[in-house]
Amino acid sequence: MTDRIYLDWNATTPLRAETKRAMADALELVGNPSSVHAEGRAARKLVEDARHEVARTVGVDAASVVFTSGGTEANTTALQPLLQAARAAAPVARLIVSTIEHPSVLAGGRFDAAKIELAPVTPEGLIDLDALRALLIGQAPALVSVMLANNETGVIQPIRAIADLVHGAGGVLHVDAVQALGKIALDVPALGADLVSVSAHKLGGPKGVGALIHASREVQGLMPLIRGGGQERGHRGGTENVIGIAGFGAAIAAARAGLADEERRQATLQRRLEDGLSQRSNVLIFSKMAPRLPNTTLFCAPGARADTALMALDLAGIAVSAGAACSSGKVQSSHVLKAMGVPVEIGQGALRLSCGWTTTESDIDCYLEAWRKLSGVLLKP
Ligand code: PLP
């Protein structure tokens, strides 16, 4: 498989060498981190070292980091009606989420899914701040959930401005930062969010590990989703996934070390890809004018079908993702493109290319060449 080109890093990433080493070392440990003997203490040390790495990377105290089974569990835990902002008279009774959230947020956690209120986005995929303001002002305090970076378009939201709006209305802000962590610098205190979800497998860590960051001391009443033996200071029951957590710690430390250079390198690759796409065929790059992750390009060639293109590219040795969903054999626009007002016939041709630290200029050029050959076939009337 080594000659394949993997351009689907927003779906998941390969394990970093540092991650593999840390996980292999952790495999040798027998102890339960809750045990007081030497074996237990050795396992506890791995968990706490990883917690420090996560905390250091995002600028919070280690005590604010609660390990979970991934981004989905972190999101589900955060979305609950018992949260209360320090100055608010009552817990949040409403949930507002943006229309472009990940399905694990759109599901609403412990809120009644039928009562979730939706905050719209602009055609560029940015939160419509006026519409959000209208949902908040003069109404009962709400929990608001907005992602930092979108998994399909890569659009980065103005979280600080959103936090000011939400807090001004006595609400609580949860931010799904799963796609942002490891790709752009993440300074949680500067974001102003109260709760932040992250996941290891988007940055070279293992699948099935993540964290919910309790970023604010102003928010009370957070109830665990999984209750049990009091692990994670009572915030998440269950014996810790020591091997996975050790891998997460090693991955995040490695991601942090080279981040600024890697961001610049990926932005160069993104320009090369997008210039190449624009020169060689009539493509539309979504959210091109919005602040975006440097690794993500969502585009479509009018008239193409994403499912056909994806299969043809796969046969050519290139893994990409469709920015569209297939149900009952019919290709639909993704909910993100729909929310941006993209017509279905355009959205159903959307492809997402997402790069990572092993992506090279030559990978981009191979992709452009494959796309050139394919578009001649795919776009025939
Ligand atoms: N949030 C976003 C924006 C994601 O892209 C994903 C994964 O694709 C998740 C949450 C879920 O994370 P996990 O796979 O760790 O459950």
Side-chain angles (χ1 to χ4, degrees):
M1 294 286 276
T2 48
D3 53 352
R4 283 184 61 87
I5 296 175
Y6 184 71
L7 296 175
D8 199 13
W9 293 66
N10 285 7
T12 197
T13 61
L15 292 181
R16 293 175 188 265
E18 295 87 341
T19 310
K20 289 184 197 168
R21 272 199 298 277
M23 293 177 78
D25 290 349
L27 280 170
E28 301 302 324
L29 295 189
V30 62
N32 183 321
S34 297
S35 301
V36 293
H37 44 59
E39 287 83 353
R41 291 199 309 276
R44 167 62 52 203
K45 180 169 175 353
L46 286 193
V47 171
E48 297 313 317
D49 285 353
R51 198 186 310 282
H52 272 98
E53 292 299 349
V54 175
R56 184 176 161 203
T57 306
V58 303
V60 300
D61 296 341
S64 311
V65 177
V66 175
F67 287 117
T68 64
S69 67
T72 298
E73 185 191 319
N75 286 342
T76 308
T77 306
L79 304 186
Q80 55 168 283
L82 294 174
L83 293 174
Q84 186 160 357
R87 287 170 301 278
V92 295
R94 310 159 57 214
L95 175 64
I96 301 173
V97 309
S98 90
T99 44
I100 58 166
E101 294 302 308
H102 186 266
S104 58
V105 167
L106 289 170
R110 281 170 275 182
F111 281 87
D112 180 349
K115 294 201 182 133
I116 300 170
E117 296 165 73
L118 294 173
V121 296
T122 66
E124 279 290 295
L126 283 159
I127 303 299
D128 180 337
L129 291 177
D130 290 335
L132 179 61
R133 190 176 293 109
L135 282 167
L136 288 167
I137 302 299
Q139 316 257 7
L143 170 63
V144 177
S145 184
V146 174
M147 67 207 323
L148 177 52
N150 184 264
N151 41 309
E152 294 186 26
T153 59
V155 167
I156 299 169
Q157 301 296 337
I159 297 295
R160 182 75 242 185
I162 292 169
D164 291 345
L165 267 181
V166 172
H167 293 150
V172 174
L173 178 63
H174 165 252
V175 168
D176 173 349
V178 166
Q179 287 293 344
L181 184 65
K183 296 180 184 135
I184 53 172
L186 176 52
D187 178 345
V188 164
L191 277 186
D194 300 302
L195 292 162
V196 177
S197 300
V198 295
S199 178
H201 74 101
K202 309 290 185 180
L203 53 94
K207 296 159 186 63
V209 192
L212 181 62
I213 296 163
H214 297 200
S216 164
R217 293 205 170 75
E218 302 282 291
V219 171
Q220 275 135 31
L222 188 71
M223 299 292 286
L225 181 66
I226 301 173
R227 279 179 281 181
Q231 289 90 348
E232 296 296 284
R233 299 181 321 286
H235 291 300
R236 202 270 186 180
T239 301
E240 296 87 341
N241 173 3
V242 177
I243 297 161
I245 290 171
F248 188 8
I252 204 167
R256 184 181 67 230
L259 187 62
D261 288 344
E262 187 52 23
E263 247 187 278
R264 269 192 296 277
R265 197 187 71 85
Q266 290 192 11
T268 309
L269 293 179
Q270 188 181 50
R271 269 194 301 279
R272 188 179 188 91
L273 170 66
E274 297 186 359
D275 289 351
L277 284 172
S278 307
Q279 277 161 21
R280 286 166 217 216
S281 52
N282 170 28
V283 301
L284 173 64
I285 296 168
F286 296 105
S287 305
K288 193 152 193 249
M289 304 316 287
R292 269 185 305 151
L293 294 175
N295 81 318
T296 307
T297 297
L298 180 70
F299 73 96
C300 83
R305 274 178 58 117
D307 54 349
T308 320
L310 195 141
M311 282 186 276
L313 286 164
D314 190 29
L315 287 174
I318 304 176
V320 303
S321 162
C326 187
S327 84
S328 332
K330 268 177 85 184
V331 184
Q332 312 273 341
S333 259
S334 75
H335 73 281
V336 175
L337 290 176
K338 259 193 216 154
M340 289 161 58
V342 175
V344 177
E345 60 280 12
I346 295 183
Q348 67 185 10
L351 285 181
R352 178 189 69 187
L353 269 57
S354 48
C355 303
W357 57 90
T358 66
T359 311
T360 60
E361 282 187 356
S362 140
D363 293 339
I364 299 296
D365 293 345
C366 285
Y367 175 80
L368 288 170
E369 183 51 21
W371 176 252
R372 189 189 60 77
K373 286 188 193 146
L374 250 180
S375 48
V377 181
L378 288 176
L379 300 180
K380 275 200 182 123

